[in-house]
Amino acid sequence: MKALVLSGGAGTRLRPITHTSAKQLVPVANKPVLFYGLEAIADAGITEVGIIVGDTADEIREAVGDGSRFGIEVTYIPQEAPLGLAHAVLIAQDFLGDDDFVMYLGDNFIVGGITGLVEEFRTERPDAQILLTKVPNPTSFGVAELGADGRVVGLEEKPKQPKSDLALVGVYLFTPAIHEAVRSIEPSWRGELEITHAIQWLIDQKRDVRSTTISGYWKDTGNVTDMLEVNRSVLETLEPHHAGTVDEASEIIGRVRIEEGARVSGSRIVGPAVIGAGTVVNDAYIGPFTSVSEGCRIEDSEIEYSIVLRGASVTGVRRVEASLIGRDVEVTPAPRNPKAHRLVLGDHSKVQISS
């Protein structure tokens, strides 16, 4: 069995972060989201992995390499444009051959991995198996309609009037039957080859399409709110570890991981929180559910429930919360006089100011 991991896409909902970085590499608890998926695939005993890449291919290649660090062998498959999930299957056919495979969206996060799901599929071998979960906003997802016997009878991509609240989770399992399906469908109104249409084609052809409804934790990390929520969830499982230096004037409370080379002085850190390698925390408060990446500086400031990326600095700021701060960003207080806000913001930024 092989795996097909989708790591293309523009990541528009995470702009401006994704103007300069792949959305799959935005870190959760200081580890890229994509890595959690690759680890789950390896844990399921799958070693041959194809990664669909787009405009951020070089960055993905640099981060993942040949896959040996995860115990897998990676083949990179370029996609000229984000033309749909079914298009990704279409262009990966040479890699996939006649093997069964799991398709995993690289920006999705599933607690507990996929080992049980893969084992079930290997035993039963339906033509397709999808994961479903109940969501409060089904119009934002692919939605499944189940019959009285629990089998999948219909799928619809981002419907205006959903027939259920069961959304497709970003993990799919297929036999080679899916290849005929993706060749038999036409692009949707979005100009994409939709995987929901391909699965619907299998249903219409009376093929065996099954579903598993999961009650565990799942998130599509495509926006800042969900990214912060996933970060919170992962930090809940954090094991405390202090490899950096902490002076006597500092207080460390709860589950806090301080990486090698980090220096904490005159500060209070309340976990769960992680402080990256080489980061300096001085005269600061870092509250729960905060991930500070490597090489950062947090000084004379307060921050909690936030993600701070590599090389960023937050100095002299009274309070920062529920924020995603990009690489090499500088956050500083505005000058007292004259009273004005001075902003340098990338495209699609969002700013909230208390005047």
Side-chain angles (χ1 to χ4, degrees), residues 102-119:
V102 56
M103 183 167 75
Y104 197 114
L105 274 58
D107 58 352
N108 274 227
F109 185 89
I110 301 174
V111 170
I114 60 171
T115 300
L117 180 73
V118 169
E119 290 175 350

Side-chain angles (χ1 to χ4, degrees), residues 296-318:
C296 296
R297 187 173 193 89
I298 312 296
E299 187 170 14
D300 189 27
S301 299
E302 300 177 4
I303 184 169
E304 72 175 36
Y305 194 66
S306 294
I307 299 173
V308 183
L309 274 59
R310 184 183 69 238
S313 65
V314 181
T315 58
V317 179
R318 182 180 300 173

Side-chain angles (χ1 to χ4, degrees), residues 6 13 24 30 39 44 51 90 97 108 125-126 128 187 212 218 232 237 239 253 281-282 287 309 333 336 350-352:
L6 276 62
R13 291 179 295 160
Q24 298 84 5
N30 284 5
E39 289 169 355
I51 300 183
L90 191 67
N108 274 227
R125 285 201 78 231
T212 300
W218 164 77
R232 181 203 62 77
T237 66
E239 292 294 329
I253 302 172
V281 180
N282 182 41
L309 274 59
R336 291 181 178 272
K350 293 182 179 180
V351 176
Q352 293 180 331

Side-chain angles (χ1 to χ4, degrees), residues 200-219:
Q200 183 66 54
W201 186 90
L202 291 175
I203 295 171
D204 295 341
Q205 298 297 313
K206 310 302 182 185
R207 307 301 289 263
D208 188 3
V209 177
R210 303 184 189 180
S211 68
T212 300
T213 301
I214 62 172
S215 57
Y217 188 85
W218 164 77
K219 279 289 183 183

Side-chain angles (χ1 to χ4, degrees), residues 227-346:
M227 182 68 69
L228 292 173
E229 177 61 17
V230 171
N231 190 62
R232 181 203 62 77
S233 178
V234 174
L235 289 178
E236 288 277 20
T237 66
L238 187 72
E239 292 294 329
H241 175 70
H242 297 173
T245 59
V246 181
D247 72 358
E248 295 182 356
S250 296
E251 185 179 17
I252 309 297
I253 302 172
R255 299 189 306 278
V256 176
R257 188 173 75 218
I258 302 174
E259 302 288 3
E260 186 175 354
R263 304 193 308 276
V264 180
S265 58
S267 298
R268 188 169 188 253
I269 303 177
V270 179
V274 57
I275 309 300
T279 284
V280 174
V281 180
N282 182 41
D283 292 333
Y285 166 76
I286 295 179
F289 309 120
T290 301
S291 296
V292 182
S293 194
E294 68 271 18
C296 296
R297 187 173 193 89
I298 312 296
E299 187 170 14
D300 189 27
S301 299
E302 300 177 4
I303 184 169
E304 72 175 36
Y305 194 66
S306 294
I307 299 173
V308 183
L309 274 59
R310 184 183 69 238
S313 65
V314 181
T315 58
V317 179
R318 182 180 300 173
R319 186 77 171 178
V320 175
E321 63 181 27
S323 298
L324 175 58
I325 298 173
R327 294 178 297 183
D328 300 312
V329 164
E330 296 181 5
V331 181
T332 60
R336 291 181 178 272
N337 292 307
K339 289 185 176 180
H341 301 290
R342 179 176 297 175
L343 308 174
V344 179
L345 302 173

Side-chain angles (χ1 to χ4, degrees), residues 18-310:
T18 48
H19 279 308
T20 55
S21 178
K23 63 178 179 178
Q24 298 84 5
L25 296 181
V26 176
V28 168
N30 284 5
K31 181 164 67 176
V33 171
L34 175 62
F35 288 12
Y36 291 96
L38 295 178
E39 289 169 355
I41 288 166
D43 289 343
I46 299 171
T47 57
E48 294 182 74
V49 180
I51 300 183
I52 300 289
V53 291
D55 292 342
T56 58
D58 291 344
E59 190 179 10
I60 298 291
R61 287 174 185 268
E62 182 179 356
V64 177
D66 62 2
S68 57
R69 63 184 290 187
F70 305 99
I72 59 177
E73 181 180 340
V74 170
T75 299
Y76 292 98
I77 304 168
Q79 187 180 33
E80 60 189 43
L83 297 175
L85 304 187
H87 181 262
V89 175
L90 191 67
I91 64 173
Q93 186 167 2
D94 287 345
F95 164 76
L96 295 168
D98 293 327
D99 293 311
D100 297 348
F101 67 98
V102 56
M103 183 167 75
Y104 197 114
L105 274 58
D107 58 352
N108 274 227
F109 185 89
I110 301 174
V111 170
I114 60 171
T115 300
L117 180 73
V118 169
E119 290 175 350
E120 178 185 350
F121 182 81
R122 280 173 164 154
T123 301
E124 302 292 334
R125 285 201 78 231
D127 293 299
Q129 186 162 348
I130 59 177
L131 263 66
L132 304 174
T133 191
K134 290 188 176 183
V135 295
N137 55 333
T139 56
S140 299
F141 301 94
V143 174
E145 181 185 3
L146 303 184
D149 60 356
R151 289 187 175 273
V152 184
V153 297
L155 297 172
E156 194 171 2
E157 186 65 31
K158 298 181 179 177
K160 294 182 178 179
Q161 295 181 322
K163 295 179 180 178
S164 80
D165 60 355
L166 293 171
L168 276 76
V169 173
V171 177
Y172 310 77
L173 296 108
F174 297 115
T175 65
I178 193 64
H179 296 303
E180 183 181 1
V182 299
R183 290 194 301 268
S184 301
I185 60 174
E186 298 293 331
S188 68
W189 62 270
R190 300 194 302 170
E192 298 184 5
L193 288 177
E194 310 283 1
I195 198 66
T196 47
H197 291 178
I199 300 171
Q200 183 66 54
W201 186 90
L202 291 175
I203 295 171
D204 295 341
Q205 298 297 313
K206 310 302 182 185
R207 307 301 289 263
D208 188 3
V209 177
R210 303 184 189 180
S211 68
T212 300
T213 301
I214 62 172
S215 57
Y217 188 85
W218 164 77
K219 279 289 183 183
D220 168 5
T221 60
N223 60 56
V224 174
T225 299
D226 286 342
M227 182 68 69
L228 292 173
E229 177 61 17
V230 171
N231 190 62
R232 181 203 62 77
S233 178
V234 174
L235 289 178
E236 288 277 20
T237 66
L238 187 72
E239 292 294 329
H241 175 70
H242 297 173
T245 59
V246 181
D247 72 358
E248 295 182 356
S250 296
E251 185 179 17
I252 309 297
I253 302 172
R255 299 189 306 278
V256 176
R257 188 173 75 218
I258 302 174
E259 302 288 3
E260 186 175 354
R263 304 193 308 276
V264 180
S265 58
S267 298
R268 188 169 188 253
I269 303 177
V270 179
V274 57
I275 309 300
T279 284
V280 174
V281 180
N282 182 41
D283 292 333
Y285 166 76
I286 295 179
F289 309 120
T290 301
S291 296
V292 182
S293 194
E294 68 271 18
C296 296
R297 187 173 193 89
I298 312 296
E299 187 170 14
D300 189 27
S301 299
E302 300 177 4
I303 184 169
E304 72 175 36
Y305 194 66
S306 294
I307 299 173
V308 183
L309 274 59
R310 184 183 69 238

